[in-house]
Amino acid sequence: MQPRTIDVSALWPKIRVLNRGLVEIPGAWVNPFTVSGDGRLVFATIHTDDWAGVAAIPTDGSGYTRIFQFANPDMDQVTGGSFDGRWLVWSESHDPADRGDWSIRAWDAESGQVQTVAEAPRKDGRTIPGPFVFPTVDHGMVAWAQTSPEGGREIHLYSLADRRDRILAAGDVGRSPVTFWWPYIIWQVRDQSGPEDRAGRVMTADATTGEPVEPTPAPAAIRHLWFMAASESVLAWTDGGILWVWRPGEAAARAVFRAPDGDYIQFLSIAGDLTTWDGVTGPWVADLRSGSVAKLPQLYGGRHARGTALLVVEPTSQVRSRHPPLRIRFADVGQFEPLPTCASSTPETD
């Protein structure tokens, strides 16, 4: 496979759009964790001298709305979140040294109310060791994978309308985050006799009822799933080393990028025709129109994508600290022309 790649300098004419969408709050440390699909709101943790918690920040620069105050600002932090246009959900870690101590909360943008969706299971008063919890929301339904009280894995589907929680699967469930591909929900079940490389099969269910649905051929062919992302027109996934994409109507999925030796592909998200992910040293982007791939600046930066919104987070210092200085820039990728094509097989960066 020879992925087409470009030098990151080819992105600069497009990155300039971000300079007109700088997200700043004077006197506050802002760390975003998701963005609305229309690009109007950034959701972030905010720390000021007198307040710390979750907030909604309009990208037009008109201030911000406090959503939820942390009970323990020195310990509480958001590890992941999602917004479906009405509901914001996020996972809240209460101890940086204990991934098993978490809460899932939801904010209703219409009523302004916050509810607690789930709390970490405990056994004999102690948390259960397990990976981070990454909830996702779509059409008022919340889904996530978590550790069970017995130490196994569970897939949960929660209705925010009637506050009903259902366990869709339990046992040898894959560690990859659950994905909504409306009207479906997708997760992985590992082969009982498979090796320790997450080999398994994809499961699909109705996202409203939780009833099993036969997966379409492309997802059904997946055997190694690390992360997945979906939009109305694209399904993307990775086994950690190769990025695959599939559009409904295509005969099979396409491998569009292979991570260089020593790198990997994780935390996929989609904005328009751009599929984005995090690598070892920072974020990457693949343009599905041209097939080009590029590494975004800066070193150890990040990005969030949904709908047509792309949010780029750039550290302005490589000095380690609890609240490192960040530059947060927003763009509507609908303004981007396709990235130019190139036949190089080795990703080039600045």
Side-chain angles (χ1 to χ4, degrees):
M1 179 176 57
Q2 297 290 319
R4 291 173 294 182
T5 63
I6 61 169
D7 190 279
V8 74
S9 61
L11 274 178
W12 284 119
K14 300 162 180 59
I15 293 296
R16 291 193 188 103
V17 177
L18 295 170
N19 292 327
R20 298 198 295 272
L22 199 63
V23 178
E24 292 180 312
I25 297 177
W29 182 74
V30 180
N31 188 18
F33 59 85
T34 193
V35 62
S36 64
D38 60 9
R40 295 182 180 180
L41 292 172
V42 172
F43 297 97
T45 57
I46 291 181
H47 286 255
T48 67
D49 290 339
D50 61 356
W51 192 87
V54 175
I57 309 170
T59 53
D60 63 6
S62 59
Y64 68 98
T65 299
R66 293 178 177 180
I67 291 176
F68 183 82
Q69 186 171 7
F70 290 147
N72 188 345
D74 292 330
M75 300 290 282
D76 295 338
Q77 58 183 326
V78 172
T79 55
S82 177
F83 182 65
D84 70 357
R86 173 182 174 180
W87 293 96
L88 171 73
V89 300
W90 70 91
S91 53
E92 191 175 310
S93 170
H94 303 300
D95 184 350
D98 182 3
R99 293 187 297 181
D101 190 0
W102 51 264
S103 302
I104 296 177
R105 308 195 196 279
W107 172 69
D108 185 350
E110 292 186 0
S111 68
Q113 299 299 307
V114 174
Q115 62 175 277
T116 297
V117 171
E119 299 277 9
R122 282 174 162 76
K123 188 174 183 178
D124 299 327
R126 297 181 179 180
T127 58
I128 311 297
F132 284 120
V133 173
F134 297 105
T136 184
V137 63
D138 204 339
H139 289 73
M141 303 297 293
V142 186
W144 69 94
Q146 70 167 71
T147 303
S148 69
E150 293 74 30
R153 298 281 290 164
E154 298 174 342
I155 302 297
H156 286 251
L157 181 64
Y158 183 94
S159 170
L160 289 164
D162 57 22
R163 302 196 179 193
R164 179 187 176 192
D165 185 18
R166 284 168 285 187
I167 298 177
L168 300 186
D172 203 11
V173 178
R175 293 173 179 266
S176 58
V178 186
T179 303
F180 280 115
W181 187 36
W182 204 263
Y184 308 114
I185 179 175
I186 301 174
W187 70 94
Q188 184 196 39
V189 173
R190 291 190 292 185
D191 294 337
Q192 294 290 338
S193 58
E196 295 298 322
D197 61 356
R198 299 192 178 97
R201 65 190 186 280
V202 163
M203 305 297 291
T204 306
D206 184 287
T208 301
T209 67
E211 292 298 314
V213 175
E214 188 70 22
T216 54
I222 300 173
R223 291 294 174 263
H224 297 83
L225 179 64
W226 202 6
F227 287 91
M228 176 178 279
S231 68
E232 291 183 358
S233 60
V234 176
L235 191 66
W237 64 90
T238 180
D239 58 5
I242 301 176
L243 172 65
W244 301 83
V245 297
W246 179 72
R247 296 182 187 272
E250 293 180 340
R254 293 178 291 124
V256 299
F257 182 69
R258 184 188 297 273
D261 291 343
D263 209 336
Y264 49 73
I265 301 169
Q266 65 175 357
F267 298 114
L268 294 176
S269 58
I270 299 171
D273 291 301
L274 302 182
T275 297
T276 71
W277 65 93
D278 286 344
V280 170
T281 60
W284 293 73
V285 57
D287 192 321
L288 303 184
R289 296 165 295 182
S290 62
S292 296
V293 176
K295 189 175 184 301
L296 288 170
Q298 283 242 8
L299 187 64
Y300 305 118
R303 42 71 262 174
H304 302 280
R306 187 166 183 139
T308 61
L310 174 65
L311 198 71
V312 177
V313 181
E314 301 174 347
T316 58
S317 171
Q318 298 301 323
V319 177
R320 288 184 177 273
S321 67
R322 175 171 170 75
H323 295 151
L326 302 173
R327 181 184 297 111
I328 305 161
R329 299 190 285 189
F330 158 79
D332 181 347
V333 300
Q335 302 179 48
F336 289 6
E337 295 295 326
L339 300 180
T341 60
C342 177
S344 169
S345 62
T346 303
E348 299 174 277
T349 59
D350 282 8

